[in-house]
Amino acid sequence: MKIAIASGKGGTGKTTLSSNLASYLAEHREVVLTDMDVEEPNSGLFIQADLKHEEDKFKMVPQWVEDKCTLCGICQKVCNFHAVIQLGTMIMVLPELCHGCYACSELCPESALPMIPKKMGKLIEFRSDNLHFIESRLDIGEEQAVPLIRQTRNYIDKTFPDEVIKIYDAPPGTSCPVIEVTKDADFVILITEPTPFGFHDLKLAVETMRKLDKSFGVVINRDGIGNNDVMDYSEAEKIPLLAKIPNDRIIAEFYSKGQLIYKEVPAFRHELDGIIAYIKTLKDLKQ
Amino acid sequence: MKEIVVISGKGGTGKTSLTASFAYLGGEDVIVADCDVDAADMHLLLEPDFEEKEDFYSGELAYIKQDQCIRCGKCAKVCRYDAILTIHNVFTVDSLSCEGCGYCARICPTNAIINRKPIAGTWYISNIKTGSIMVHAKLGIGADNSGKLVAKVKAEAKEIAEDEFKDYVIVDGSPGIGCPVVSSLSGASFVVIVTEPSVSGLHDLKRVYELIQKFKIKAGCLINKSDINPKLTEEIETFLRIENIEHIANLPYDEDFTKAMTNGQTIVEYSNGHLKEMIDKSWNKIKQLVTNN
């Protein structure tokens, strides 16, 4: 089972919830936690585990072979991303704009643009007893998160059996990286704050999940601040409200130090119990 | 005209609340660009009137004309994004997976595939309560090309600022280090990084600063919620000193951030105490740094 934790607005507690939920679940069963926020991965700051495996991740980009090229111009014409440009008698490839579609490479009549791997980031796997933790990290200057997320999802699918519970810590927002993370999730937890920003971005996230036809629920973080709009909306839209994490400065302080909250704050652990109970009912429904 | 970009790496550090406050303090001198296009929130504080609105078309999306499709499957074979779906031998395009490379259309033997230009979002030019103008946008759900929409919003804001002889464009950037952030940073005169003293805040600050260095833009930093973890605040201050990043100010953890937002106000309108004074000082310092730069 795959559970993605997403939010719309940044800084609402995705990483806090993912790292705590995964660690808490791992006290009794095998769990895979994956930090899919490849631009700014943070879950690892809260997890103590041993390094198990590390691999560089590559994307495929074309490389110009001058000797074979007849300067016919087809490559430039077929590239919709302006990643292949003809400059006089030279073909220039801009790897950061390349989406790896292979069109230029395969449509080149002279095979003058073979695809070669270019490093875009790194995948690191850790383990601590029942908890497997995987982090993917995009290299600075790489603009596209989606290819790395896609490869990370594939790595998890091939490394861990279906029955192991998998938690994805998603990036903020509602654009392509979030879609790539939540695409094959069985359930999505949208975590938000009961503030106007949190509410506005929650509505966008809900719209996105509905478009993807996902089953999802809402967790309110820092309950007690702001207003009742998120509560009222969830109720009106019949979205299950899985938990309300109280607003407490002590939680922010533990978080700031990189500590897991559920071990220190019983009220927080109680909310996790509620989420776990809900997830269990989902599993029963599926079986 | 100077372009000030506010970013944070990590989300939820108070970036938008502070940007809106600076826009309020700058009043008529500042054109605002909300470049956090996939979760734009600035309009909730600045009362835009959505005076002008335009759809933004970007990229391409493959579409299969069923009457011309001979079901040969070549499109599915060349697609690297698994965007061609086959259900009961009918080929269709999964619009959320299609990256618009156009390869399938080029090799389709019966020309059954066409490329459509999808609406990637909508952008607006609004009069706002500061007496100035804001350019903002809404990205379509799941749309690609957020970087291009960011570039569009910024270009419009800059044009307005130049036409109207304004001193500043202030840009609210998005979290992360990917394409929308890269678009936000390009061409900036000065970057303000808003961070917080948490392990994540420091980690993300370091990564986003590495990106800023690639652009060779001068940066300053505001440490928000600085009293949450004084030890980490010191660590951040040391990092700023070593990297020669201007330390603009330390702001306290203050629920007025949320209260102002809940009232639909910027912090400087809502709070009139010490916090307002500190934000006032920060804005003056930023202006000074931008001018000397």
Side-chain angles (χ1 to χ4, degrees):
Chain A
M1 180 182 209
K2 292 173 184 160
I3 299 167
I5 299 178
S7 73
K9 173 168 158 41
T12 57
K14 284 181 299 301
T15 300
T16 304
L17 182 57
S18 315
S19 54
N20 281 278
L21 185 61
S23 303
Y24 190 34
L25 277 167
E27 289 184 353
H28 300 290
R29 58 183 298 172
E30 207 177 348
V31 179
V32 183
L33 168 66
T34 309
D35 196 337
M36 292 285 195
D37 187 0
V38 301
E39 294 180 41
E40 295 285 20
N42 286 150
S43 290
L45 299 167
F46 301 86
I47 303 292
Q48 315 262 311
D50 302 322
L51 180 69
K52 284 284 154 202
H53 174 72
E54 201 170 337
E55 64 185 55
D56 286 340
K57 286 292 178 191
F58 299 89
K59 66 176 191 179
M60 300 302 284
V61 297
Q63 188 184 42
W64 184 48
V65 182
E66 193 175 354
D67 300 348
K68 290 186 177 176
C69 179
T70 59
L71 296 169
C72 69
I74 288 177
C75 52
Q76 171 171 285
K77 212 180 95 200
V78 301
C79 181
N80 273 2
F81 308 110
H82 311 290
V84 184
I85 296 166
Q86 186 172 346
L87 288 171
T89 58
M90 218 184 102
I91 302 292
M92 214 168 87
V93 177
L94 304 168
E96 59 282 5
L97 297 181
C98 176
H99 284 227
C101 76
Y102 284 66
C104 63
S105 182
E106 293 176 357
L107 296 175
C108 170
E110 311 296 336
S111 307
L113 282 164
M115 298 295 277
I116 56 153
K118 179 185 181 288
K119 183 171 174 281
M120 63 172 163
K122 193 186 245 184
L123 181 150
I124 316 167
E125 184 180 341
F126 302 86
R127 178 157 190 186
S128 165
D129 298 324
N130 276 333
L131 180 66
H132 304 266
F133 170 60
I134 290 158
E135 174 189 278
S136 276
R137 190 170 271 270
L138 194 66
D139 287 345
I140 308 278
E142 281 294 325
E143 295 185 28
Q144 297 170 45
V146 170
L148 184 55
I149 295 170
R150 194 181 293 142
Q151 288 191 26
T152 308
R153 281 204 290 114
N154 291 342
Y155 179 86
I156 288 157
D157 287 347
K158 102 176 179 265
T159 314
F160 301 99
D162 281 350
E163 61 272 17
V164 175
I165 191 159
K166 299 172 188 84
I167 294 176
Y168 292 167
D169 185 4
T174 55
S175 59
C176 34
V178 181
I179 307 280
E180 196 58 40
V181 174
T182 48
K183 222 177 206 172
D184 70 343
D186 300 297
F187 187 69
V188 181
I189 298 175
L190 299 175
I191 181 161
T192 191
E193 287 175 1
T195 61
F197 287 3
F199 177 44
H200 174 264
D201 298 347
L202 172 69
K203 285 186 283 183
L204 296 175
V206 165
E207 243 185 280
T208 310
M209 292 310 129
R210 287 193 170 143
K211 194 166 168 185
L212 288 169
D213 205 15
K214 287 287 153 194
S215 144
F216 61 92
V218 166
V219 169
I220 294 179
N221 193 10
R222 301 186 66 206
D223 182 44
I225 60 166
N227 57 32
N228 287 326
D229 288 351
V230 170
M231 282 276 287
D232 296 346
Y233 168 82
S234 303
E235 210 167 288
E237 295 285 322
K238 300 194 168 51
I239 301 167
L241 185 61
L242 311 179
K244 289 198 278 183
I245 300 167
N247 181 44
D248 188 343
R249 188 183 159 119
I250 200 83
I251 293 179
E253 286 178 14
F254 282 126
Y255 170 86
S256 80
K257 294 181 214 158
Q259 274 171 277
L260 290 171
I261 319 290
Y262 80 94
K263 294 184 174 171
E264 316 287 343
V265 184
F268 185 88
R269 188 168 58 239
H270 177 73
E271 294 303 315
L272 290 186
D273 284 329
I275 297 172
I276 292 166
Y278 188 86
I279 294 168
K280 282 188 178 151
T281 65
L282 285 172
K283 239 198 138 201
D284 292 342
L285 282 177
K286 281 175 84 79
Q287 276 162 356
Chain B
M1 192 268 298
K2 300 281 187 183
E3 185 186 325
I4 304 164
V5 178
V6 187
I7 54 172
S8 63
K10 174 169 163 30
T13 58
K15 168 180 65 68
T16 302
S17 292
L18 288 168
T19 311
S21 293
F22 297 149
Y24 192 84
L25 293 170
E28 290 182 10
D29 297 337
V30 175
I31 301 287
V32 183
D34 188 351
C35 286
D36 189 358
V37 296
D38 70 295
D41 287 330
M42 197 95 106
H43 64 279
L44 299 170
L45 303 180
L46 296 179
E47 295 174 9
D49 64 355
F50 298 86
E51 191 180 62
E52 278 181 55
K53 169 188 164 171
E54 205 171 301
D55 286 334
F56 180 70
Y57 294 85
S58 178
E60 290 187 354
L61 209 53
Y63 174 78
I64 303 176
K65 292 188 277 185
Q66 295 305 328
D67 52 337
Q68 274 171 255
C69 175
I70 55 167
R71 316 199 188 322
C72 67
K74 282 189 177 147
C75 51
K77 220 181 259 168
V78 300
C79 179
R80 258 66 187 193
Y81 315 112
D82 300 324
I84 309 281
L85 307 174
T86 330
I87 302 159
H88 303 306
N89 208 27
V90 174
F91 290 77
T92 54
V93 176
D94 169 11
S95 61
L96 287 172
S97 295
C98 176
E99 295 199 13
C101 69
Y103 194 2
C104 56
R106 291 183 207 284
I107 52 95
C108 174
T110 59
N111 296 319
I113 306 181
I114 54 167
N115 290 305
R116 292 176 164 173
K117 271 213 170 297
I119 296 182
T122 313
W123 59 276
Y124 312 89
I125 299 179
S126 292
N127 298 299
I128 48 174
K129 68 177 171 193
T130 65
S132 186
I133 292 168
M134 168 162 84
V135 185
H136 48 131
K138 192 182 172 200
L139 189 71
I141 293 299
D144 211 335
N145 288 306
S146 55
K148 285 186 182 151
L149 185 53
V150 166
K152 179 79 195 164
V153 167
K154 257 180 61 154
E156 284 298 324
K158 273 168 110 162
E159 204 182 307
I160 295 168
E162 270 159 17
D163 287 353
E164 304 200 358
F165 304 103
K166 300 285 188 180
D167 297 337
Y168 306 102
V169 169
I170 189 161
V171 177
D172 189 14
S174 46
I177 56 155
C179 60
V181 184
V182 169
S183 284
S184 301
L185 287 173
S186 75
S189 325
F190 188 76
V191 185
V192 176
I193 313 168
V194 180
T195 190
E196 62 174 37
S198 65
V199 286
S200 321
L202 177 58
H203 169 272
D204 294 357
L205 164 69
K206 287 180 177 167
R207 265 169 84 78
V208 89
Y209 184 64
E210 225 182 291
L211 181 66
I212 292 167
Q213 278 179 306
K214 286 188 186 273
F215 285 85
K216 301 191 167 52
I217 310 168
K218 185 84 189 138
C221 183
L222 269 162
I223 308 175
N224 195 13
K225 312 176 197 173
S226 59
D227 50 337
I228 278 275
N229 188 332
K231 206 171 133 253
L232 257 173
T233 295
E234 263 175 50
E235 218 175 294
I236 294 173
E237 287 169 351
T238 309
F239 173 76
L240 300 182
R241 256 195 313 276
I242 293 168
E243 297 292 338
N244 204 12
I245 303 168
E246 294 288 345
H247 180 197
I248 300 165
N250 288 347
L251 299 176
Y253 179 86
D254 195 321
E255 303 219 332
D256 275 1
F257 271 77
T258 315
K259 287 179 187 155
M261 187 201 294
T262 309
N263 264 358
Q265 286 181 309
T266 60
I267 310 159
V268 287
E269 289 168 274
Y270 179 83
S271 147
N272 40 28
H274 190 47
L275 187 60
K276 178 186 187 300
E277 211 174 284
M278 288 170 92
I279 295 173
D280 239 327
K281 268 191 192 155
S282 303
W283 173 237
N284 286 329
K285 191 157 180 191
I286 292 166
K287 283 196 290 189
Q288 207 180 351
L289 289 167
V290 173
T291 316
N292 296 344
N293 188 29

